[in-house]
Amino acid sequence: MRKTPVWDGQGRYQLLGADAKERIYTPVAEDLDEVIANIAGVAESETTGPPPEIEARLAQVLATPGKRIRPAITLLVSKLWGRVPDERTIKMATAVELLHIASLIHDDTVDSADTRRGHATASNLWGGNIAVLLGDFVFATSATFVCDTNSVRLIRRFAQTIAELSRGELNEILESWSLKTDRKKYLERIYDKTASLFSTSAESGAVLGEGDEESVASLRRYGYNLGMAYQVLDDLLDYESSPELLGKPTANDLANGVLTLPAILAIESGDASEAVSAFMTAPVADRPRLLTVAYDAICGSDALRRSRQIANDYISEAMRSLEPLPPSPSRDALVELTDYIRDRQF
Ligand code: FPP
Ligand code: MG
């Protein structure tokens, strides 16, 4: 049931007694339910026509609930100017979540990851070929949802986002096991991999909510900064968190030869340059021992604290992008989302 927000007299609306997650999702709870129903519908033969064997596998990959951050952004942003999310907005929110799901199916295949969100991945269950083609199916379906917005501008932006996602993932593979990744390359890569879709989620909400062009640009910046913070923190959690909390393996990036911000900063400062270089250039048999040495050098340096500081700077920038927008429960939820992403432990 929708809760009524109460103006707190100090510039914010409040859902009294609600926790952070509730305050973020409640303004769009019913719309998100429609998005979730659309996603479940992708596996049903009457909507898309796959035979039952595919249908069952699709249903399985679509059933694992994620955080639904991207569709929540599209929906919340679309309400900033007082409009109720219409069918086109629900379709766009569905498209961004489906694209995200498709990219994770592909990513887990590329990474040979066994678990995601605490469940076995598609590639683990059925092998890489099936997983890639299931991902393609979801990915193509996401595009049909964007077409239903009838906006060439959004279709174009969505297509660019897909190209950026693929470029980010390609660069990650091409740069793996190389010591050449620097901060600039890393930031470009995480824009492509993550901030691009966050930015598109926010921008499309602003276009469909009929915000003026200045506001559309502010929301694009909001999505960009939130997405950059999200990926920096994701990369930090790979060093700091545990598989139990995250629902996926940790200490995974360096083990796969991928340098993310903590490693890059610890190399830059000289604290881990020798240890990481020894690990990255070692014969395969020596890697497990040298991985521990490199990992400890990174964790023992100041790089984790500095990575968090960089994420916090992106979070502050995201919050600043919301300042020019009219006060509303949706704007407050978008502010709250920045805190939620900053503090997430999973
Ligand atoms: C997860 O990052 C991966 C992404 C955010 C993007 C993956 C993109 C592709 C596979 C491009 C191709 C996709 C399509 C549909 C064209 P991560 O590996 O850093 O995070 P993780 O630890 O959660 O796996
Ligand atoms: Mg991955």
Side-chain angles (χ1 to χ4, degrees):
M1 215 183 39
R2 225 177 260 271
K3 296 201 177 167
T4 313
V6 180
W7 183 251
D8 70 359
Q10 293 164 343
R12 290 255 193 131
Y13 286 93
Q14 279 192 345
L15 282 168
L16 298 173
D19 70 3
K21 212 164 160 193
E22 217 181 322
R23 287 194 297 270
I24 295 163
Y25 290 103
T26 300
V28 290
E30 286 166 21
D31 313 299
L32 268 177
D33 284 345
E34 283 190 51
V35 169
I36 291 163
N38 281 344
I39 291 172
V42 170
E44 284 163 15
S45 44
E46 52 273 29
T47 33
T48 50
E53 313 84 76
I54 302 181
E55 197 182 303
R57 290 179 192 205
L58 269 176
Q60 198 167 334
V61 295
L62 295 170
T64 327
K67 295 186 274 295
R68 316 282 188 209
I69 292 174
R70 296 155 188 83
I73 292 174
T74 304
L75 294 167
L76 287 167
V77 168
S78 77
K79 293 182 72 171
L80 284 171
W81 300 274
R83 289 174 63 87
V84 174
D86 58 7
E87 195 52 28
R88 293 164 71 220
T89 313
I90 306 278
K91 296 265 186 176
M92 188 68 214
T94 306
V96 296
E97 185 65 0
L98 281 174
L99 177 55
H100 173 57
I101 294 171
S103 71
L104 293 183
I105 297 172
H106 280 188
D107 180 61
D108 287 334
T109 311
V110 168
D111 288 354
S112 310
D114 289 339
T115 52
R116 160 86 59 190
R117 298 169 177 170
H119 295 266
T121 58
S123 53
N124 180 2
L125 290 170
W126 308 303
N129 290 348
I130 298 267
V132 165
L133 292 164
L134 279 175
D136 286 348
F137 190 95
V138 177
F139 159 53
T141 308
S142 73
T144 67
F145 276 93
V146 190
C147 291
D148 289 341
T149 65
N150 288 320
S151 162
V152 174
R153 174 180 184 174
L154 295 183
I155 295 168
R156 186 184 301 279
R157 180 65 206 126
F158 197 74
Q160 279 168 352
T161 306
I162 294 166
E164 285 164 349
L165 276 169
S166 305
R167 183 174 62 189
E169 191 81 350
L170 271 170
N171 276 331
E172 185 168 302
I173 296 172
L174 295 172
E175 288 167 18
S176 64
W177 300 109
S178 152
L179 288 157
K180 288 202 189 114
T181 308
D182 56 17
R183 212 192 285 213
K184 180 169 175 289
K185 282 192 182 137
Y186 168 79
L187 294 177
E188 285 167 3
R189 190 173 85 205
I190 68 167
Y191 164 73
D192 282 342
K193 259 179 59 173
T194 303
S196 167
L197 183 52
F198 269 81
S199 173
T200 299
S201 304
E203 178 176 352
S204 58
V207 170
L208 293 164
E210 299 185 355
D212 56 276
E213 281 308 316
E214 221 172 294
S215 303
V216 173
S218 296
L219 269 317
R220 197 185 303 124
R221 265 199 312 282
Y222 169 78
Y224 166 83
N225 284 294
L226 197 62
M228 295 297 281
Y230 185 92
Q231 191 59 46
V232 169
L233 290 169
D234 204 63
D235 294 340
L236 184 60
L237 288 174
D238 187 66
Y239 281 87
E240 279 185 343
S241 190
S242 68
E244 293 72 36
L245 271 175
L246 285 186
K248 62 181 183 182
T250 48
N252 215 26
D253 293 331
L254 189 60
N256 285 312
V258 174
L259 296 185
T260 58
L261 195 58
I264 292 166
L265 295 181
I267 293 171
E268 258 180 27
S269 66
D271 291 308
S273 45
E274 274 177 38
V276 174
S277 164
F279 164 66
M280 298 279 268
T281 54
V284 175
D286 293 337
R287 278 187 194 158
R289 182 180 56 82
L290 292 170
L291 174 63
T292 310
V293 178
Y295 188 81
D296 289 347
I298 295 164
C299 292
S301 75
D302 200 23
L304 302 188
R305 189 195 62 78
R306 287 168 61 218
S307 297
R308 187 165 290 281
Q309 183 56 52
I310 289 173
N312 285 343
D313 292 345
Y314 282 117
I315 289 285
S316 305
E317 223 20 75
M319 286 206 197
R320 248 194 300 282
S321 316
L322 295 174
E323 278 167 13
L325 297 158
S328 69
S330 306
R331 192 186 73 167
D332 292 345
L334 291 165
V335 171
E336 190 97 44
L337 180 60
T338 62
D339 291 335
Y340 180 65
I341 285 183
R342 185 192 56 212
D343 299 334
R344 87 188 166 103
Q345 300 296 323
F346 57 90

